[in-house]
């Protein structure tokens, strides 16, 4: 049994830190930069728990609001 560790990993996102606001702000910024608009946060909230690729795909294909 080791008595010391070379590294310690923490699951920060959603476990030790509430980063949901930062994630939403990142989605808003990305949408603004690449599409020139911002869509309703509910579109992103609806994707919670799905892979990021699916979330971004869904948000990028939506009609601009």
């Amino acid at each position: 049994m080791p008595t010391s560790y070379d590294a310690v990993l923490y699951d920060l996102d959603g476990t030790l830190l509430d980063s949901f606001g930062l994630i939403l702000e990142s989605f808003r910024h990305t949408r603004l930069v690449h599409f020139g608009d911002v869509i309703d946060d509910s579109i992103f909230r609806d994707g919670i728990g799905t892979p990021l690729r699916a979330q971004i795909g869904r948000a990028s294909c939506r009609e601009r609001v």
Side-chain angles (χ1 to χ4, degrees), residues 6-28:
D6 292 330
V8 177
L9 301 176
Y10 293 97
D11 180 7
L12 293 174
D13 182 35
T15 302
L16 297 177
L17 298 175
D18 181 8
S19 57
F20 188 67
L22 179 60
I23 293 168
L24 277 177
E25 186 60 34
S26 298
F27 283 152
R28 288 184 209 117

Side-chain angles (χ1 to χ4, degrees), residues 22-39 41 44 52 55-57 59-60 64:
L22 179 60
I23 293 168
L24 277 177
E25 186 60 34
S26 298
F27 283 152
R28 288 184 209 117
H29 174 77
T30 301
R31 178 72 189 205
L32 185 61
V33 167
H34 293 282
F35 289 88
D37 64 2
V38 176
I39 58 178
D41 287 347
F44 297 117
L52 186 58
Q55 292 179 39
I56 297 297
S60 66
R64 295 180 186 198

